Amino acid sequence: CALPICEALVPLGWQVEVEAESGRRADFGLRVMKTLMSKGWDAAVILLGNNYGDDADAYQSEMQEMVTLMAPRPVVLLTVSEFARSRVTVNRMILDIASRNTNVLVVDWAAITAANRSLTGGDRLHLTLPGRTALAESVASALGRAPVSPGACLDSKYTDDSMGPVQGTTTVPRPTTSATPAPDTEVPGT
């Protein structure tokens, strides 16, 4: 499979459905969940907040609704790279949500990217190929082994990346599989 997230999670038994589009806000994640959760997901991975729109109330409400929709199933929330001062606020909201929900695990992506600038492009936001691999490995470490096997990289419904990527970043082709939908996903994809 061509996606680093699939390469990291499929060997752990996860069936990965990457539902991700560049430049989207938290309402996108909520729309994805409401549309596709009926597939029976076992977990979700959410990295939203880079384009949060400076509306803290809407962002926190939409993120909390996604976590609530998934409960009691695990949700991995990733903090965002702090490429702008407002993203410190986003990360505080993510940590606040995690502190109030027992089903939430946090991957401190902000700390990881701050420690290794080669993971993002010159904008300190969009991932390089090593960044995609590091993100995938961080998520795999947080999730561990899947409750059910075998793993697979599944087809995605949401794939419109017309709003990105930014010059200097690496695009990675999406998988082409014919697997049937399965219980695990990432939003954007596990």
Side-chain angles (χ1 to χ4, degrees), residues 87-153:
R87 295 328 179 260
V88 173
T89 302
V90 169
N91 288 336
R92 284 188 190 132
M93 289 186 282
I94 290 168
L95 295 173
D96 179 60
I97 291 167
S99 74
R100 292 183 283 112
N101 295 274
T102 58
N103 64 318
V104 174
L105 306 165
V106 174
V107 169
D108 194 355
W109 186 242
I112 294 167
T113 57
N116 185 348
R117 294 291 172 98
S118 73
L119 302 179
T120 58
D123 61 0
R124 296 181 42 214
L125 166 63
H126 292 88
L127 302 181
T128 60
L129 186 54
R132 290 173 188 254
T133 300
L135 183 127
E137 290 169 353
S138 298
V139 168
S141 179
L143 280 174
R145 295 208 62 72
V148 179
S149 288
C153 199

Side-chain angles (χ1 to χ4, degrees), residues 1 3-18 40-45 70 72-76 103 105 136-155 177 179-187 189-190:
C1 182
L3 291 176
I5 193 72
C6 287
E7 291 171 353
L9 291 175
V10 169
L12 295 174
W14 291 100
Q15 294 187 4
V16 181
E17 182 177 330
V18 179
W41 297 345
D42 287 329
V45 176
M70 284 299 297
R73 295 163 291 196
V75 175
V76 176
N103 64 318
L105 306 165
E137 290 169 353
S138 298
V139 168
S141 179
L143 280 174
R145 295 208 62 72
V148 179
S149 288
C153 199
L154 305 174
D155 287 333
T177 66
T180 55
D184 303 301
T185 194
E186 175 181 310
V187 180
T190 308

